[in-house]
Amino acid sequence: MITQHFSLKNYNTFGIDVETEFFALITDEKALFETLKSNGDKPFRVLGGGSNVLLTQDYKGLTLVMKNKGISILKETKNHVIIEVQAGENWHDLVLWTLEKDFGGIENLALIPGSVGAAPIQNIGAYGVELSTVFHRCKVLDLERLSFQEFDKNDCEFGYRSSIFKSQLKGKTIITRVQLKLSKQPHQSHTHYGNLQSTLKGKEKTIQNIAAAVIAIRKSKLPDPAQIGNSGSFFKNPVIPTNQFTKLQENYPEIPHYPDTLERVKIPAGWLIEKLGYKGKRFGDAGVHDKQALVLVNHGNAKGKELLALAREIQAQVLQHFYIKLEIEVNIL
């Protein structure tokens, strides 16, 4: 069913009140195919959970929201299991499902907002783990040919917060289902990133305890979109050459950092933003979260363009003071 002149305020976690000319919820692949076929050459776009987008204006076209549901086990061995998840499933609900089944691999990715179908696009990651570490394959609808294809891990060209779906194939495919390869046996857990290790001190490093620690940390730092509009981390953590970091460390000995490769170092973007005094600042209804400077927030009725203007100002100041170019992580629509 297609609805006309529909507000997307409840379909984006920033709570931005913009209107789409046409709107439809998609419950299965057949409905997706038929809706797009009937739409012809008219413009359209897809929203997942609306958690990684900033809507800046009304949309003259069709907005689709994937709501296809289902989780199934495709293959199981003594050590591993391959599961298939429909794109419309909530990501955190999937993590909770794997914990109940005692399947390990995505416990570090607990409480990341959004849908399963959006996860490969962004190559979501947290606390030393990325989706690509457990990704097996996905099914996509090729929008030019209106035919379904399967992509394996290599096809997806995963990088830090990126994939082929965010670059060459941006706007050219829709992910309809995702397969993950998870562990049934104790596996190498990643518990050294950030303050995860200290949170787990004295506890057995089960996948359930790791997930609980991640959830507790995220809740302490990141605001609930149901309470205040936000899209989580707005910027990527920059990765800079080691020689540039060494010079930066001379002026800021306390700067937190994490080795990326032998020649590059990752720096928390939130630290850079907080150092410039933006943490907790408010500009009308657009602002920076008071507990995590990496998060931009909507205090009520901020417009997408106001939040984008704040983001551009922060980028300019970080570049001017630290000679580091911050990249925006969310999709600007």
Side-chain angles (χ1 to χ4, degrees):
M1 182 181 294
I2 294 179
T3 307
Q4 290 187 337
H5 304 294
F6 189 84
S7 171
L8 294 174
K9 184 171 184 177
N10 294 327
Y11 287 89
N12 71 99
T13 58
F14 260 119
I16 304 296
D17 190 8
V18 297
E19 187 178 272
T20 182
E21 189 176 11
F22 301 101
F23 176 83
L25 293 176
I26 301 299
T27 55
D28 56 47
E29 290 172 349
K30 182 181 178 182
L32 174 64
F33 181 86
E34 291 179 349
T35 301
L36 290 178
K37 192 173 182 180
S38 65
N39 191 57
D41 294 329
K42 296 189 286 290
F44 71 92
R45 67 184 181 191
V46 177
L47 286 181
S51 61
N52 197 48
V53 296
L54 176 63
L55 305 177
T56 61
Q57 60 188 22
D58 292 340
Y59 182 63
K60 292 187 179 299
L62 170 65
T63 297
L64 305 174
V65 173
M66 301 297 290
K67 286 294 180 182
N68 52 327
K69 302 287 187 178
I71 306 172
S72 58
I73 295 173
L74 295 185
K75 185 178 179 181
E76 196 167 357
T77 66
K78 180 182 177 181
N79 296 320
H80 294 95
V81 61
I82 294 177
I83 65 171
E84 183 171 78
V85 192
Q86 299 297 310
E89 286 284 351
N90 175 272
W91 175 263
H92 181 61
D93 287 347
L94 169 64
V95 175
L96 297 180
W97 183 90
T98 64
L99 295 175
E100 289 178 3
K101 300 288 186 181
D102 217 24
F103 298 157
I106 58 175
E107 57 275 3
N108 289 51
L109 308 182
L111 212 62
I112 292 179
S115 65
V116 169
I121 300 172
Q122 185 73 2
N123 188 20
I124 59 172
Y127 300 99
V129 174
E130 293 182 330
L131 176 76
S132 57
T133 59
V134 297
F135 182 88
H136 184 62
R137 64 176 59 241
C138 66
K139 186 176 181 181
V140 306
L141 178 63
D142 183 320
L143 297 177
E144 292 181 353
R145 300 179 179 86
L146 268 190
S147 62
F148 287 98
Q149 298 180 17
E150 291 200 346
F151 282 61
D152 63 20
K153 190 172 181 175
N154 290 332
D155 294 331
C156 294
E157 298 182 10
F158 289 121
Y160 174 59
R161 301 297 179 272
S162 69
S163 70
I164 195 170
F165 307 112
K166 204 174 179 181
S167 53
Q168 299 101 300
L169 295 183
K170 185 174 183 179
K172 297 180 179 179
T173 59
I174 297 175
I175 296 173
T176 60
R177 56 181 73 185
V178 177
Q179 294 178 14
L180 305 178
K181 184 177 182 180
L182 305 176
S183 174
K184 292 176 61 180
Q185 302 291 335
H187 65 288
Q188 185 179 4
S189 300
H190 295 265
T191 58
H192 299 288
Y193 199 94
N195 54 350
L196 188 54
Q197 189 171 18
S198 60
T199 306
L200 283 166
K201 191 174 182 180
K203 297 179 181 178
E204 187 181 355
K205 293 179 181 178
T206 63
I207 59 174
Q208 290 79 10
N209 284 344
I210 292 170
V214 168
I215 290 169
I217 294 168
R218 290 183 72 90
K219 282 185 174 179
S220 71
K221 289 183 175 182
L222 301 174
D224 182 352
Q227 303 298 323
I228 184 169
N230 74 92
S231 192
S233 300
F234 199 90
F235 301 97
K236 294 181 182 180
N237 288 323
V239 179
I240 64 174
T242 302
N243 60 347
Q244 182 183 356
F245 169 74
T246 301
K247 293 179 182 178
L248 195 61
Q249 197 176 33
E250 291 176 1
N251 294 323
Y252 304 97
E254 76 283 10
I255 186 170
H257 58 282
Y258 306 95
D260 186 71
T261 64
L262 289 174
E263 299 175 348
R264 299 177 72 81
V265 177
K266 184 184 292 184
I267 296 172
W271 185 90
L272 300 171
I273 298 167
E274 182 176 349
K275 197 72 177 175
L276 293 173
Y278 280 98
K279 188 176 182 180
K281 284 289 184 69
R282 180 170 174 170
F283 306 84
D285 273 359
V288 180
H289 189 46
D290 59 0
K291 291 183 180 178
Q292 172 53 270
L294 192 57
V295 177
L296 301 191
V297 294
N298 175 8
H299 285 283
N301 296 304
K303 297 186 182 301
K305 289 182 178 179
E306 293 172 332
L307 284 157
L308 182 58
L310 174 57
R312 298 298 190 206
E313 179 185 322
I314 289 172
Q315 284 179 305
Q317 290 299 312
V318 168
L319 183 61
Q320 180 180 333
H321 286 84
F322 300 107
Y323 304 102
I324 292 175
K325 185 177 181 180
L326 279 189
E327 286 187 57
I328 291 177
E329 184 170 323
V330 305
N331 294 295
I332 310 298
L333 300 181

